């Protein structure tokens, strides 16, 4: 912790804790059960059929995450590289570290995936992510909260709940962003900040640095974007402290340099292959994935909540004007919470609290991106993040997701406020309690989480008799990044084992023709299928022959047409006839799927 007058100091002596271990364990169990019950209540709709429903109804990302959860145990069991895959985007393959592959979570959830399938594992991950993140914050706040007994647990428990069920986590849960509901790095970095900066010169810098490296390596295998964000703001916290306590730098710098060297050494030694995949690995995108200027938060979101927050003081429909979609509108703080943070900064004599609030304010500005957007309109006002817009790798950060740092800082300030808020005289105590109550209620989650059906035709659960690893299958409807079930074909392939390759998919990659590829390409077969589904004239025989030749050139060995699943419907009887014309095969209907063979297609390998 930080001395309130002179800067960082050694932690105060603490009494023997042996007799407190049971109470401490009991506190974590009680909070963990409480958080889990809240998370289950918010996601209770999926409990009716956890293997046949997917949490989230905003993007197609849930199907993509479920695919990757399935891929990891499959790859390990079959002796394949879990960080590279050519089962999707064949033959070019995918680089897992450039996709939201969550290999660390895939390993942790592998037993559930093997037992109940990747859809169930995904749903369990969405439920558990906020619980684990909240409990980690409870643990990280130990050095920051002075009070012992009930008040200390209340301060930390409330902060953990705010973090776990914050507007940020609610937004990313409804979007199916499994990687962002597991926001475990920020609490760990908060604890590391205390160890690195708050207890005097480091006594075991090599050990602390090595442990820091392991933490960062774990995040590298969870979500690389959050790793970059975390490192940036850990460094920023050090800068803020150095500016506040310039005399502190000389005493601390040697230990921090040693710790930094140990951290880099551990990451380089144990993470060399993942880092290679990020920096120079195969099939990574060779150009920008997204426009960094369009991924900042909307300034109005700080005061305008979405329907995911129970108490919405903003005018009805104000959230409809916010930039982005609801899954990225997690930056709500609100008047009451802002007032509480300001009062805490002004009233509580704590340098620690003020440093955390300063980092939170800086992270909020950074989350706005390269320029101010207000209620969906670009104001043309530039912001500091513009400096990162052309920096390799850092330019791929979506500034809106820096909101997780702001959320953490708000929760930590609330914990320190509850720990130290003045309760005397009675009038001041009553005012503090009322303000705190209003602030906490302003973040109360609404009962608005959604699920969507995740059907898998029976055919895909038993394809071994007709399809095998040598097959490359073209699926209709085409697999895309479209949010309305565009990536459901990934779920079907995963349910098969995967038992066959697919040329398309939903991913981040490149190929010999394009620097960035994000979904299945159109080919003549898919263009013709869309054409006839829309009721237009039948393509010519020459075009059908060209479509057949193109499928063979692409290495496609079979076409699987799944009736009743195309977005927008269309004339599927004509699509069926078109597929027969292209493949020259009358087709076989089994388990809800029409399968057509292209006998002259080249096999995988």
């Amino acid at each position: 912790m930080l001395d309130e007058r002179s800067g960082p100091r050694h932690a105060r002596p603490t009494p023997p804790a042996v007799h407190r271990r049971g109470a401490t364990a009991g506190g974590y169990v009680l909070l963990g059960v409480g958080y889990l019950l809240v998370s289950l209540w918010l996601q209770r709709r999926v409990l009716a059929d956890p293997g046949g429903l997917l949490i989230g109804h905003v993007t197609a990302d849930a199907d993509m995450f479920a695919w990757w959860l399935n891929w990891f145990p499959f790859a390990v069991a079959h002796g394949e590289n879990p960080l590279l895959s050519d089962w999707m985007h064949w033959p070019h393959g995918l680089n897992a570290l450039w996709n939201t592959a969550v290999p660390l979570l895939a390993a942790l959830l592998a037993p559930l995936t093997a037992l109940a399938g990747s859809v169930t594992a995904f749903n369990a991950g969405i439920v558990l992510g906020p619980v684990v993140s909240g409990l980690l914050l409870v643990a990280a706040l130990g050095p920051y909260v002075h009070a012992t007994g009930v008040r200390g647990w209340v301060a930390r428990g409330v902060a953990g709940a705010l973090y776990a069920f914050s507007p940020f986590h609610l937004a990313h849960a409804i979007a199916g962003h499994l990687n962002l509901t597991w926001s475990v790095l920020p609490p760990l970095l908060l604890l590391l900040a205390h160890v690195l900066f708050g207890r005097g010169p480091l006594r075991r810098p090599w050990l602390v640095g090595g442990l820091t490296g392991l933490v960062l390596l774990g995040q590298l295998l969870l979500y690389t974007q959050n790793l970059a964000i975390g490192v940036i703001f850990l460094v920023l916290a050090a800068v803020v402290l150095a500016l506040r306590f310039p005399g502190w730098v000389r005493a601390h710098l040697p230990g921090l340099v040693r710790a930094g060297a140990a951290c880099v050494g551990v990451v380089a030694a144990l993470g060399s292959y993942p880092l290679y995949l990020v920096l120079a690995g195969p099939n990574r995108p060779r150009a920008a994935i997204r426009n960094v200027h369009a991924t900042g938060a909307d300034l109005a979101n700080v005061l305008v909540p979405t329907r995911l927050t129970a108490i919405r003081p903003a005018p009805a429909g104000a959230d409809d004007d916010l930039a982005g979609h609801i899954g990225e509108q997690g930056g709500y703080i609100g008047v009451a919470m802002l007032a509480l943070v300001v009062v805490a900064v002004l009233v509580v004599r704590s340098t620690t609290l003020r440093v955390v609030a300063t980092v939170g304010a800086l992270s909020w500005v950074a989350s706005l991106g390269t320029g101010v957007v207000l209620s969906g309109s670009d104001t043309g006002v530039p912001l500091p993040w513009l400096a990162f817009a052309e920096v390799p790798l850092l330019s791929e950060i979506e500034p809106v997701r820096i909101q997780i740092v702001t959320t953490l800082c708000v929760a930590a300030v609330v914990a320190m406020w509850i720990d130290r808020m003045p309760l005397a005289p009675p009038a001041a105590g009553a005012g503090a309690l009322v303000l705190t109550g209003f602030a906490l209620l302003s973040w109360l989650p609404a009962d608005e989480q959604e699920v969507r059906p995740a059907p898998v035709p029976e055919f895909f659960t038993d394809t071994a008799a007709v399809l095998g690893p040598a097959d490359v299958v073209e699926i209709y409807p085409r697999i895309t990044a479209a949010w309305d079930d565009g990536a459901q074909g990934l779920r079907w392939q995963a349910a098969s084992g995967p038992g066959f390759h697919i040329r398309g998919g939903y991913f981040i990659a490149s190929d010999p023709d394009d620097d960035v590829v994000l979904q299945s390409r159109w080919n003549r077969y898919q263009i013709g299928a869309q054409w006839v589904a829309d009721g237009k004239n039948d393509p010519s025989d020459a075009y059908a022959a060209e479509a057949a030749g193109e499928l063979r050139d692409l290495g496609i060995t079979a076409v699987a047409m799944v009736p009743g699943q195309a977005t927008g419907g269309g004339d599927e009887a004509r699509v069926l006839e078109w597929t027969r014309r292209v493949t020259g095969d009358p087709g076989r209907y089994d388990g809800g799927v029409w399968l057509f063979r292209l006998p002259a297609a080249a096999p995988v390998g």
Side-chain angles (χ1 to χ4, degrees):
M1 290 177 291
L2 301 176
D3 185 273
E4 312 306 343
R5 296 162 296 178
S6 61
R9 62 173 174 83
H10 291 284
R12 65 190 183 282
T14 56
V18 174
H19 65 286
R20 299 182 55 82
R21 288 176 184 167
T24 300
Y28 283 112
V29 169
L30 184 62
L31 288 174
V33 170
Y35 295 169
L36 180 60
L37 290 175
V38 173
S39 192
L40 285 170
W41 179 79
L42 288 171
Q43 307 296 353
R44 67 188 182 281
R45 295 165 183 83
V46 81
L47 300 180
D49 186 6
L53 297 169
L54 275 170
I55 294 174
H57 203 194
V58 177
T59 73
D61 289 0
D63 284 315
M64 178 177 59
F65 280 112
W67 191 94
W68 283 107
L69 290 178
N70 183 79
W71 165 251
F72 185 91
F74 173 86
V76 172
H78 290 79
E80 300 206 27
N81 187 340
L83 299 182
L84 292 174
S85 173
D86 66 358
W87 289 76
M88 185 184 357
H89 192 42
W90 185 88
H92 311 294
L94 298 179
N95 183 328
L97 271 297
W98 272 97
N99 284 267
T100 49
V102 292
L104 182 59
L105 277 184
L108 294 174
L109 294 171
L112 184 58
T113 301
L115 181 66
S118 59
V119 169
T120 301
F122 168 83
N123 290 327
I126 292 286
V127 169
L128 292 175
V131 177
V132 175
S133 301
L135 284 175
L136 281 176
L137 181 57
V138 172
L141 285 169
Y144 295 87
V145 172
H146 290 166
T148 58
V150 174
R151 183 165 178 174
W153 278 106
V154 168
R156 294 160 62 192
V158 167
L162 285 175
Y163 184 66
F165 308 109
S166 62
F168 180 91
H169 281 134
L170 295 175
H172 288 287
I174 202 171
H177 292 159
L178 177 62
N179 54 341
L180 290 164
T181 61
W182 282 75
S183 299
V184 296
L185 182 63
L188 292 173
L189 291 182
L190 181 67
L191 183 58
L192 281 168
H194 168 72
V195 174
L196 291 168
F197 311 134
R199 300 194 303 182
L202 286 175
R203 286 172 289 181
R204 288 190 260 180
W206 301 109
L207 176 61
V208 172
L211 292 175
T212 302
L214 291 177
V215 168
L216 299 183
L217 183 60
Q219 183 62 51
L220 177 63
L221 297 176
L222 180 57
Y223 183 41
T224 53
Q225 192 171 148
N226 270 7
L227 172 61
I229 291 171
V231 170
I232 288 171
F233 282 91
L234 182 64
V235 172
L236 185 61
V239 171
V240 170
L241 283 169
L243 292 174
R244 175 65 179 83
F245 303 107
W248 163 86
V249 174
R250 179 173 295 180
H252 281 69
L253 194 57
L256 291 177
V257 169
R258 293 187 186 95
C263 176
V264 171
V266 167
V267 172
L270 301 181
S272 56
Y273 181 63
L275 287 173
Y276 156 73
L277 291 179
V278 172
L279 300 175
N283 302 322
R284 67 192 188 282
R286 299 188 297 270
I289 300 170
R290 57 184 67 85
N291 179 7
V292 66
H293 302 292
T295 56
D298 194 308
L299 176 62
N301 191 203
V302 71
L303 297 179
V304 176
T306 68
R307 59 186 172 85
L308 301 180
T309 298
I311 300 173
R312 298 187 289 277
D319 55 319
D320 293 337
D321 297 326
L322 296 176
H325 59 82
I326 193 171
E328 301 287 359
Q329 295 167 354
Y332 177 66
I333 298 178
V335 173
M337 190 64 77
L338 280 173
L340 180 63
V341 171
V342 170
V343 168
V345 169
L346 296 176
V347 172
V348 177
R349 295 178 58 81
S350 168
T351 303
T352 304
L353 186 151
R354 291 169 185 171
V355 168
V356 171
T358 300
V359 173
L362 293 172
S363 69
W364 174 73
V365 173
S367 74
L368 298 176
T370 60
V372 175
V373 174
L374 180 63
S375 296
S377 298
D378 188 350
T379 66
V381 177
L383 289 171
W385 196 260
L386 190 62
F388 294 106
E390 302 300 327
V391 178
L393 295 180
L394 294 183
S395 61
E396 298 295 349
I397 294 175
E398 296 167 84
V400 66
R401 296 184 175 181
I402 299 173
Q403 291 169 339
I404 188 55
V405 179
T406 313
T407 298
L408 174 90
C409 292
V410 169
V413 166
V414 170
M416 288 183 276
W417 163 255
I418 293 175
D419 176 42
R420 308 172 199 188
M421 68 177 171
L423 296 178
L433 290 172
V434 169
L435 176 58
T436 304
F438 275 122
L440 299 183
L441 286 174
S442 71
W443 274 28
L444 191 68
D447 184 20
E448 291 286 343
Q449 290 294 317
E450 298 179 5
V451 298
R452 61 182 174 88
V456 175
E458 183 181 350
F459 169 84
F460 291 108
T461 62
D462 186 20
T463 62
V466 289
L467 293 173
D471 284 303
V472 181
V473 178
E474 181 76 16
I475 294 178
Y476 178 88
R478 173 173 157 260
I479 304 172
T480 71
W483 291 357
D484 189 7
D485 282 337
Q488 60 187 328
L490 298 186
R491 185 172 68 247
W492 303 336
Q493 189 213 20
S496 74
F500 55 86
H501 292 71
I502 52 175
R503 183 172 177 84
Y506 173 29
F507 46 74
I508 298 171
S510 62
D511 64 23
D513 298 321
D514 286 290
D515 291 338
V516 179
V517 185
L518 302 177
Q519 62 181 4
S520 305
R521 293 185 179 280
W522 286 100
N523 55 50
R524 288 178 177 83
Y525 164 72
Q526 294 284 5
I527 293 171
Q530 187 66 54
W531 183 270
V532 298
D534 290 343
K536 298 177 182 178
N537 293 336
D538 288 340
S540 66
D541 289 341
Y543 187 82
E546 291 174 355
E550 184 178 22
L551 289 182
R552 287 192 293 271
D553 291 342
L554 293 173
I556 304 300
T557 64
V559 175
M561 178 193 168
V562 187
Q565 299 300 319
T567 302
D571 192 339
E572 291 189 333
R574 295 186 65 202
V575 175
L576 181 62
E577 184 56 35
W578 164 248
T579 308
R580 287 172 174 147
R581 288 178 62 196
V582 170
T583 63
D585 182 0
R588 165 186 172 181
Y589 185 76
D590 181 25
V593 176
W594 281 96
L595 184 70
F596 303 84
R597 279 286 183 184
L598 280 82
V604 174

